[in-house]
Amino acid sequence: MNFFEYVVYRQDQIIQALVEHVELTLLAVACAVAIGVPLGLLIASVKHLNKPVIGVANVVQAVPSLAFFGFLIPLLGIGSLPTIFIVVLYALLPILKNTYTGLKGISADVLEAAKGMGMTKLQVLWQVRFPLALPVIMAGIRIASVNAVGLVTIAAFVGAGGLGYLIYSGIQTLNNNLILAGAIPSCLLALLMDFLVGRVEKLVTPVSFRLGSVKLDKNTNMRLRRSRRIAFAAVALVLVVSLGAMAVNAFSREEKVISVGSKNYTEQQVLGYMVSDLIEGNTDIKVDRRINLGGTQICFEAIKSGDIDLYIDYTGTAFVSMLNNEAVSDREYVYQTVREQMAEQFDIAVLRELNFNNTYVLAMMPDVMEEYGIECISDLKGLGDELMFSPTPEFSNREDGWLGLEKAYDLSFSDIRVLDGGMRYSAVTNYETDIITAFSTDGLLKTYELGTLVDDKSFFVPYYAVPLVRQETLDKYPELQPVLEMLCSVLSDEVMRELNYEVDSLGRNPAEVAHEFLVEQGLIES
C-alpha cells in the first residue's frame, strides 16, 4: 500500500502517538519555563551565580540523552517522568541564557530613569526590566519549544509513547511508511510550535519596539493590550488543559489494572499485545500496555521497580545477562535455575515456557556463504580479515553474545560495525556487511531469504520464551498464571516466525496480528 493508504490504515495509532507527543512536549516546556525563567532572574540579580549556573547548563547539553536514560531509569523508572525530566534539562539552556541576556541587556539610562522616578528594585524588575526583556525571553522559549518536539521522540525508548515509537518501529522493521508516519507529524508539530510561540513572542513585544516612533491612538493601544492578555490567557489555558488531561489519566485508572511491557522489536511487540489481549479477554483485569520499552536491562529494571508487572523474556537471556551464570546448553537446567534464582533474588515468578526457542543465529547472504564455503560458525575462523561482522549493540556486549562467542570459536574480525534493528538486514542484503546477528524466529530472515550458520559447538544457550511476573502481582491476581499458560499450546518456532513475518514484511500492525491470532486459536472472542 502507498503512504496515504498506510496513514488511513494506521490512523488511530498515529493520532494516539501525536496526542501523547503533544502532551509530553507541552508539559516539558511548561516545566522548563517554570524553572528557567526564575533561575534566569536569580543569576541576573546575583552576579557570582551566573557563570557556574550557565556552566552547568552547558555541560548538561553536552551529555547524550540516551546516557541520561541509563542513569535515570533505575531512579525514576520508565514512562513519562524520565522523558520529561530529560527534555526539561535540555530545554533549560536557551530559556536560562535568554532570560539572563534579556535582563542584562537593558540600557543603563532606562534603569537610571526608573530609579529617578522613585521605583524600588522590585518595581524596576517587574515594571521595567522584565517587560523589556520579555521578547528576548520568548525567543529562548521558542527555541526550546521547537527543540523539545524533536527530543520527545526519545520517549519511545522508555515506554512513554509519542511519535518516536512509530519512527523507531519503522527503523526496526525497515518500514518507510511507518517512519514517515512518525516523522512527518513530528516535523509539522515543530513548525506549528514555532509559529504559535512566534505569535506569542510578537504579542508580548512592547509596542514601542515593534512600531518605533509611530504613535498610537487610545483605541489601538487598548486593542493591542487586549491582544496580549488574550495571548497569555490562551497559552495558560492550553497548559492547564494539557496538565489536567494528564492528571486525569494518571488518577482515573481502574482498580484492577496491571502493566504489561515488552522489548523494542517485532516479536516482543506481538507478544506484548498478545499477553495484554489474552488477559483482558479472559479476566476482569485491565491492562496498561507499555509496549516497545527498550532492551533487556530497561525491561528488567522496570519489572524490578514495579513500573511494569510482567513481560515476556527468554530463559537464556535471564540465565546469563540478568543472573550472571556461565552459559550452558541444558534446557531444563537453565529453566529451573532461572525459576529458582529469579524468585530468590528478585521475587519474580517465572511461568511455563511458551514452547518456542528464539535463539541467536548468525545470518549471511547465501551466495556469500557459498563463495567462502561457510556452513557453520567454526568455518568463520581465519576469515576475519575478509569478512565484516555487524552484531546488535546488545549482542556485542553480552557474555552469551559476542563476548562469549569470540572465545568459544576463537573468532576475530578486523572490522566490526554495530547495527541495530532492521538496518542490519538492509546492510547485509546490500553487501555492506557480511555477517549479522538475528533471532531464529525473525520474520526478516524469511523476507530476505538469508542463510543461517549452524552453531556446531552448541554455544548459544536455550532462549525459550517465558512470562516474568512480579510475585506480588501474581499473589494479588492468581488467575494470571493459567491465562498466560494458555499460550503454551499454540506457539512454536514456525508460528512465531510467521507472525513476525506478517509485521516485518507485510507491514501489518503488531496489535492486530496478535489479536487475530488469539481469535483464530479460540483464546479470546473477536
Side-chain angles (χ1 to χ4, degrees), residues 315-316 319 328-338 352-357 461-465:
T315 53
F319 187 81
V328 296
S329 58
D330 187 322
R331 172 183 173 181
E332 184 61 25
Y333 174 76
V334 168
Y335 173 67
Q336 293 299 336
T337 302
V338 168
R352 284 175 55 194
E353 295 174 337
L354 298 185
N355 203 37
F356 71 91
N357 182 19
V461 298
Y463 292 91
Y464 281 85

Coordinates of all heavy atoms in Angstrom, one line a residue, residues 315-316 319 328-338 352-357 461-465:
T315 N 14.7 -17.6 28.5 CA 15.5 -18.3 29.6 C 17.0 -18.0 29.5 O 17.6 -17.7 30.5 CB 15.2 -19.8 29.5 OG1 15.5 -20.3 28.2 CG2 13.8 -20.1 29.9
G316 N 17.5 -18.1 28.3 CA 19.0 -17.8 28.1 C 19.4 -16.4 28.5 O 20.4 -16.2 29.2
F319 N 19.2 -16.2 32.3 CA 20.3 -17.1 32.9 C 21.6 -16.4 32.9 O 22.3 -16.4 33.9 CB 20.3 -18.4 32.1 CG 21.2 -19.5 32.7 CD1 20.8 -20.2 33.8 CD2 22.5 -19.7 32.2 CE1 21.6 -21.2 34.3 CE2 23.4 -20.6 32.7 CZ 22.9 -21.4 33.8
V328 N 25.4 -22.4 29.5 CA 25.3 -23.9 29.3 C 24.1 -24.1 28.4 O 23.3 -23.3 28.2 CB 25.0 -24.6 30.7 CG1 26.2 -24.5 31.6 CG2 23.8 -24.1 31.3
S329 N 24.1 -25.3 27.8 CA 23.1 -25.6 26.7 C 22.0 -26.5 27.2 O 21.1 -26.9 26.4 CB 23.8 -26.3 25.5 OG 24.5 -27.4 25.9
D330 N 22.0 -26.9 28.5 CA 21.0 -27.8 29.0 C 19.7 -27.0 29.3 O 19.6 -26.2 30.2 CB 21.5 -28.4 30.4 CG 20.5 -29.5 30.9 OD1 19.3 -29.4 30.8 OD2 21.0 -30.5 31.5
R331 N 18.7 -27.3 28.5 CA 17.4 -26.5 28.5 C 16.8 -26.6 29.9 O 16.4 -25.6 30.4 CB 16.5 -27.0 27.4 CG 15.1 -26.5 27.5 CD 14.2 -27.1 26.4 NE 12.8 -26.6 26.6 CZ 11.8 -27.0 25.8 NH1 12.0 -27.9 24.8 NH2 10.5 -26.6 26.1
E332 N 16.6 -27.8 30.4 CA 15.9 -28.0 31.7 C 16.6 -27.3 32.8 O 16.0 -26.7 33.7 CB 15.6 -29.5 32.0 CG 14.8 -29.7 33.2 CD 13.4 -29.2 33.1 OE1 12.9 -29.0 32.0 OE2 12.8 -28.9 34.2
Y333 N 18.0 -27.5 32.8 CA 18.8 -26.9 33.9 C 18.7 -25.4 33.9 O 18.5 -24.7 34.9 CB 20.2 -27.3 33.7 CG 21.2 -26.6 34.7 CD1 21.2 -27.0 36.0 CD2 22.0 -25.6 34.3 CE1 22.1 -26.4 36.9 CE2 22.9 -25.0 35.2 CZ 22.9 -25.4 36.5 OH 23.7 -24.7 37.4
V334 N 18.7 -24.8 32.7 CA 18.6 -23.3 32.5 C 17.3 -22.9 33.0 O 17.2 -21.9 33.8 CB 18.8 -22.9 31.0 CG1 18.4 -21.5 30.8 CG2 20.3 -23.1 30.6
Y335 N 16.2 -23.5 32.6 CA 14.9 -23.1 33.1 C 14.7 -23.2 34.6 O 14.2 -22.2 35.2 CB 13.8 -24.0 32.4 CG 12.4 -23.7 32.9 CD1 11.8 -22.5 32.6 CD2 11.7 -24.7 33.6 CE1 10.5 -22.2 33.1 CE2 10.4 -24.5 34.0 CZ 9.8 -23.2 33.8 OH 8.6 -23.0 34.3
Q336 N 15.1 -24.3 35.2 CA 14.9 -24.5 36.6 C 15.8 -23.5 37.4 O 15.3 -22.9 38.4 CB 15.2 -25.9 37.0 CG 14.3 -26.9 36.5 CD 12.8 -26.7 37.0 OE1 12.6 -26.1 38.1 NE2 11.9 -27.2 36.3
T337 N 17.0 -23.2 36.9 CA 17.9 -22.3 37.6 C 17.3 -20.9 37.5 O 17.3 -20.1 38.5 CB 19.3 -22.3 36.9 OG1 19.8 -23.6 37.0 CG2 20.2 -21.3 37.6
V338 N 16.8 -20.5 36.4 CA 16.2 -19.2 36.2 C 15.0 -19.0 37.2 O 14.8 -18.0 37.8 CB 15.7 -18.9 34.8 CG1 14.8 -17.7 34.6 CG2 17.0 -18.8 33.9
R352 N 5.6 -21.1 32.9 CA 6.0 -22.2 32.0 C 6.5 -21.6 30.7 O 6.1 -20.5 30.2 CB 4.8 -23.1 31.7 CG 4.4 -24.1 32.7 CD 3.1 -24.8 32.4 NE 3.2 -25.4 31.0 CZ 2.2 -25.9 30.4 NH1 1.0 -25.8 30.9 NH2 2.4 -26.5 29.2
E353 N 7.4 -22.3 30.1 CA 7.9 -21.9 28.8 C 6.8 -21.9 27.7 O 5.9 -22.7 27.8 CB 9.0 -22.9 28.3 CG 10.3 -22.8 29.2 CD 11.3 -23.9 28.8 OE1 10.9 -24.9 28.2 OE2 12.5 -23.7 29.1
L354 N 6.9 -21.0 26.8 CA 5.9 -20.8 25.8 C 6.1 -21.6 24.5 O 5.5 -21.4 23.5 CB 5.8 -19.3 25.4 CG 5.3 -18.4 26.5 CD1 5.1 -17.0 26.0 CD2 4.1 -18.9 27.2
N355 N 7.0 -22.6 24.6 CA 7.2 -23.6 23.6 C 7.8 -23.2 22.3 O 7.7 -23.8 21.2 CB 5.8 -24.3 23.3 CG 6.0 -25.7 22.7 OD1 6.9 -26.4 23.1 ND2 5.2 -26.0 21.7
F356 N 8.6 -22.0 22.3 CA 9.4 -21.7 21.1 C 10.7 -21.2 21.6 O 10.8 -20.5 22.6 CB 8.7 -20.8 20.2 CG 8.5 -19.3 20.7 CD1 9.5 -18.4 20.4 CD2 7.4 -19.0 21.4 CE1 9.3 -17.1 20.9 CE2 7.2 -17.7 21.8 CZ 8.2 -16.7 21.6
N357 N 11.7 -21.5 20.9 CA 13.1 -21.1 21.2 C 13.6 -20.1 20.3 O 14.0 -20.4 19.1 CB 14.0 -22.4 21.1 CG 15.4 -22.1 21.6 OD1 15.7 -21.1 22.2 ND2 16.3 -23.0 21.2
V461 N 22.9 -20.6 24.5 CA 22.1 -21.2 25.5 C 20.6 -21.3 24.9 O 20.3 -20.5 24.0 CB 22.1 -20.5 26.8 CG1 23.5 -20.5 27.4 CG2 21.7 -19.1 26.7
P462 N 19.8 -22.1 25.5 CA 18.4 -22.1 25.0 C 17.7 -20.8 25.4 O 17.8 -20.3 26.5 CB 17.7 -23.3 25.8 CG 18.7 -23.7 26.8 CD 20.0 -23.1 26.5
Y463 N 16.9 -20.2 24.4 CA 16.2 -19.0 24.6 C 14.7 -19.2 24.5 O 14.1 -18.6 23.6 CB 16.7 -17.9 23.6 CG 18.1 -17.5 23.8 CD1 19.2 -18.1 23.2 CD2 18.4 -16.4 24.7 CE1 20.5 -17.7 23.4 CE2 19.7 -16.0 24.9 CZ 20.7 -16.6 24.2 OH 22.0 -16.2 24.5
Y464 N 14.2 -20.0 25.4 CA 12.7 -20.3 25.3 C 12.0 -19.1 26.0 O 12.4 -18.6 27.1 CB 12.4 -21.6 26.0 CG 12.7 -22.8 25.1 CD1 13.9 -23.3 25.1 CD2 11.7 -23.3 24.3 CE1 14.2 -24.4 24.2 CE2 11.9 -24.4 23.5 CZ 13.2 -24.9 23.4 OH 13.4 -26.0 22.6
A465 N 10.9 -18.7 25.3 CA 10.2 -17.5 25.9 C 9.5 -17.9 27.2 O 8.9 -19.0 27.2 CB 9.2 -17.0 24.8

